[in-house]
Amino acid sequence: MSTSTTPSTPTDLDLHGAFHVYDTTLRDGMQQEGLNPTVADKLTIARHLDGLGVGFIEGGWPGANPKDTAFFRRAVAELDLKHARLVAFGATRKAGAVAADDPQVAGLRESGAGVVTLVAKSHLGHVEKALRTTPAENLAMIRDTVAHLRAEGQQVFLDAEHFFDGYRLDRAYALEVLRTAYDAGAEVAALCDTNGGMLPGWVADVVHDVIESAGVRVGIHCHNDTGLAVANTLAAVEAGATHVQGCINGYGERTGNADLVNVVANLELKLDRQVLPPGLLREATRIAHAVAEVTNVPPSARQPYVGTSAFAHKAGLHASAIKVDPDLYQHMDPADVGNDMRLLVSDMAGRASIELKGRELGFDLSDAPDVVTRVTARVKEMEARGYTFEAADASFELLLIEEAEGARPSYFDVESWRVITETLTHAKPGEEAVSEATVKLRAEDVRYVVTGEGNGPVNALDQALRSAIVQAYPEIGGFELIDFKVRILDQGHGTDAITRVLIETSDGASSWVTVGVGANVIEASWEALVDSITYGLLRHRQP
C-alpha cells in the first residue's frame, strides 16, 4: 500500500472546476422511514429538482431493485432536464471479480446516465468486516471499476463511505482510497460522514488535510445525526470542497441528510457564492413544498428559509420594529427564496401587529386607530378564552371585517342544528356508528331543512350544512374539508374541558383555516364550519 503524498493526477481532471450542487433525494433521501415513492413520483421530483437548478440528480441504484431500474429506463426517455445531469449510483465490483463482467457494474454502464457515483469503502474496519476482503483488493476494486466506467465514456464520482471515521482509524489508507480513485479517473472524491457524528471544526480540518495531502477534488456528503449536517457541509466548502451533496427538505435515513436548500441558500445569500443559475433560488420555497406534496410528508413549518414560519412574527415588539423596517427582525428578504413574511395575530399582538396584519389582508388601518384598538382588545380577550388566530387567518379576517365595517359578512341565517349518533346494540365488531345531522337555515330568502349523514357527528354536520347552502350558492360544491384538529384546553379536565377546533377548507386552488371554541367538540366544530363556509363565499363573491 502506497503512502506517497504526491499523487499522479490525470491531466484531464480539474482539482477545482465549476462548483457542483448534487442532489441525492431520489436515492439517499428515499431511505427515510415512511418514504416509498413510485417511479412516476420520482420522475416528478426530478423535474422539480431540475427547476431549482441543481447540477446533478442522483436517481437511484439501477440493477439493485426493479423500481430504480425502471426509473432510469423511463428517465432517459421522458425527462427533459434543463439544468441537471442524471446520475446513477452503485458500488464497485465484487472482490475477486472483473469490473467488465460484474452484473452490478453492468447496470450502471447500461443505465443511460452520463454520470456514475461509486460508493467505496474508505474505512479499514468496513473493508475487512463488511466486504470481507483485503485492503489491497479493495483498492483494486476501486481502480478497476472507475477505469472501466471511464473507458465506457461515463463521468465518475466517488462516495468515500465512512470517510471521516476511517480517516481517524487509518489516515494513510483513507487517503490512499481517494488517490486510487482519482488516479483511475474519478473526478470528485466526496467525503461521507455516513454516521453523521462529525462537528464543523473536525470536518474543516480533515477536508483541508485531504486537499493538501491527496491533491484530489473534494466533495462533501453529511448526515444530520448531530443536527449539524448543513454546518458541516458549509465548513467543508470553506475548507476547499467544491462539490456538495444533500437532499431537498433534509430527507434521509435516521435524522436525514444535509438540507440542500439550506446549503445553497447559505452559500448564495451568506457567503456570496453563485452556485445555482441566477434567479432560481427564488423557486426554493415552491419546489420544497411541491416535493413534500409528492412524498406525502407534511413540510415542517419551522424549516429554515422555506418553512411557513420561517419569516413569521408574533410578538408586538417585533411587529412595531417591522413596521418601521422589516430588516430589523429578519436576517434576509424572504422573497430571495420565494417565501413571504407573515404577521401572526395572538394575545401577544400589539397595535402594530394588527395594523400590519390588516395591511397584509388588504385593510389600511393607519387612519383608523379606534378600529385597531377594538381589534387588539378583542383578540386578546378571545385568545384568553381559548381562540387562536395565528393559525386561523380566515377567522381573523372575518373578525377584522366585522370591526372595520360594522358587520360580519352573512350569506345565510341558521335557525337551528342538531346531530344524533346512533349505534345498534347488537352491532357486529367493526360496524361503525352512524351520525345524522339536521340543519335549518335561510339563504337568499329561501328556507332549507336538510339532513346529512356521516361517519361522525362533525362529518354529518358538514354534509348537512353544505347540502343546504349549495342550493343557494353552487360554488360551495367545490369546497372540501381537508383537515380537522382538536385541542383540549383545560388541562386536568376530561370530557368537560373547553375544546378548540381548527378546520382547513380548500376550494381546489387554495385553502383557509378557521377556528371554533366551545364547551364540547360539536359546538366548537359548528362555529369553525360556519366561519369556513362564510369565508369561502366571501372570497368567491368579492368583485
Side-chain angles (χ1 to χ4, degrees):
M1 175 178 69
S2 170
T3 57
S4 168
T5 59
T6 306
S8 55
T9 305
T11 57
D12 61 337
L13 298 183
D14 186 348
L15 286 177
H16 304 289
F19 196 93
H20 289 177
V21 176
Y22 181 110
D23 184 275
T24 179
T25 300
L26 299 180
R27 199 274 306 174
D28 213 4
M30 293 304 108
Q31 296 187 55
Q32 177 168 313
E33 186 176 3
L35 291 189
N36 188 27
T38 65
V39 173
D41 290 338
K42 292 185 68 169
L43 291 167
T44 298
I45 292 171
R47 293 184 183 97
H48 286 310
L49 296 172
D50 186 54
L52 183 61
V54 303
F56 299 89
I57 296 173
E58 188 176 81
W61 190 325
N65 62 73
K67 183 188 294 183
D68 282 2
T69 301
F71 168 80
F72 279 94
R73 183 174 61 251
R74 289 186 57 182
V76 171
E78 299 176 27
L79 289 182
D80 181 21
L81 300 177
K82 301 294 192 299
H83 305 286
R85 299 188 65 194
L86 190 63
V87 182
F89 177 90
T92 56
R93 66 158 172 84
K94 287 182 168 54
V98 176
D101 300 329
D102 189 297
Q104 188 276 138
V105 176
L108 298 173
R109 185 178 62 240
E110 297 163 7
S111 65
V115 185
V116 171
T117 291
L118 288 174
V119 61
K121 302 295 185 184
S122 55
H123 185 300
L124 265 180
H126 282 266
V127 171
E128 296 167 347
K129 296 176 183 178
L131 289 183
R132 296 183 180 181
T133 191
T134 65
E137 175 62 7
N138 181 54
L139 295 177
M141 292 158 60
I142 295 168
R143 183 183 304 109
D144 184 18
T145 311
V146 172
H148 171 70
L149 293 172
R150 286 281 289 170
E152 292 293 322
Q154 290 173 297
Q155 250 183 303
V156 179
F157 300 154
L158 185 83
D159 269 4
E161 190 181 36
H162 295 282
F163 181 83
F164 292 92
D165 297 319
Y167 176 94
R168 286 178 166 179
L169 178 67
D170 190 320
R171 170 182 176 273
Y173 186 76
L175 294 178
E176 188 66 11
V177 165
L178 306 185
R179 293 191 193 100
T180 299
Y182 210 66
D183 288 351
E187 298 188 21
V188 175
L191 314 183
C192 300
D193 182 17
T194 309
N195 289 344
M198 294 295 106
L199 300 179
W202 302 349
V203 169
D205 289 344
V206 173
V207 169
H208 180 75
D209 181 43
V210 167
I211 292 172
E212 290 292 315
S213 302
V216 300
R217 181 176 181 183
V218 170
I220 186 70
H221 177 113
C222 294
H223 286 253
N224 200 40
D225 297 74
T226 58
L228 294 168
V230 172
N232 287 340
T233 301
L234 296 176
V237 171
E238 294 201 287
T242 57
H243 167 113
V244 294
Q245 298 188 6
C247 297
I248 197 86
N249 296 327
Y251 296 148
E253 62 181 334
R254 303 188 311 276
T255 59
N257 289 49
D259 188 322
L260 200 64
V261 168
N262 292 349
V263 170
V264 297
N266 284 322
L267 288 172
E268 290 207 358
L269 302 175
K270 305 300 182 182
L271 298 178
D272 199 27
R273 297 175 183 234
Q274 188 72 47
V275 298
L276 296 178
L280 291 189
L281 184 59
R282 289 177 174 263
E283 300 296 317
T285 299
R286 178 186 64 80
I287 288 171
H289 291 194
V291 173
E293 286 296 319
V294 177
T295 60
N296 200 29
V297 176
S300 170
R302 298 176 64 199
Q303 189 173 350
Y305 288 108
V306 300
T308 56
S309 297
F311 302 95
H313 304 277
K314 182 173 180 178
L317 178 63
H318 285 209
S320 296
I322 287 171
K323 185 178 176 182
V324 177
D325 183 355
D327 291 340
L328 292 175
Y329 273 98
Q330 292 185 162
H331 69 102
M332 55 162 285
D333 182 351
D336 289 344
V337 289
N339 209 339
D340 292 309
M341 182 180 73
R342 294 172 58 231
L343 273 300
L344 305 179
V345 176
S346 74
D347 60 355
M348 297 177 66
R351 297 175 60 84
S353 295
I354 299 300
E355 187 175 333
L356 285 170
K357 186 65 178 179
R359 186 184 306 165
E360 183 182 308
L361 297 174
F363 294 85
D364 184 1
L365 302 177
S366 58
D367 295 325
D370 56 330
V371 174
V372 174
T373 298
R374 291 199 307 271
V375 172
T376 303
R378 190 168 170 191
V379 165
K380 291 178 181 292
E381 183 272 330
M382 291 182 70
E383 293 226 343
R385 291 194 282 121
Y387 289 84
T388 178
F389 292 104
E390 64 182 80
D393 276 2
S395 286
F396 174 74
E397 187 169 343
L398 293 175
L399 182 154
L400 183 61
I401 293 171
E402 183 177 351
E403 293 296 339
E405 299 180 0
R408 176 175 291 238
S410 179
Y411 300 94
F412 53 92
D413 293 313
V414 178
E415 294 180 13
S416 66
W417 60 270
R418 70 178 180 181
V419 62
I420 301 169
T421 298
E422 178 184 37
T423 184
L424 298 177
T425 303
H426 302 292
K428 295 178 181 178
E431 286 187 351
E432 296 180 350
V434 176
S435 293
E436 179 183 287
T438 301
V439 173
K440 300 177 182 180
L441 58 81
R442 297 188 69 86
E444 298 283 35
D445 294 325
V446 178
R447 185 172 184 264
Y448 298 97
V449 179
V450 176
T451 298
E453 287 187 343
N455 59 8
V458 176
N459 181 231
L461 276 172
D462 181 45
Q463 294 294 329
L465 178 61
R466 292 198 291 120
S467 295
I469 304 174
V470 74
Q471 299 176 67
Y473 305 109
E475 59 264 45
I476 289 176
F479 295 1
E480 181 183 5
L481 193 157
I482 60 174
D483 199 6
F484 178 80
K485 297 184 178 74
V486 178
R487 174 79 181 273
I488 302 300
L489 300 179
D490 297 340
Q491 292 189 5
H493 286 250
T495 55
D496 63 338
I498 297 296
T499 303
R500 177 169 66 221
V501 168
L502 290 170
I503 285 177
E504 184 173 5
T505 306
S506 172
D507 60 2
S510 60
S511 65
W512 55 92
V513 180
T514 51
V515 61
V517 172
N520 64 67
V521 67
I522 310 302
E523 178 187 357
S525 300
W526 174 258
E527 182 182 12
L529 282 170
V530 170
D531 268 11
S532 172
I533 297 295
T534 301
Y535 183 79
L537 288 171
L538 174 69
R539 290 181 56 166
H540 279 258
R541 294 194 161 245
Q542 283 178 336

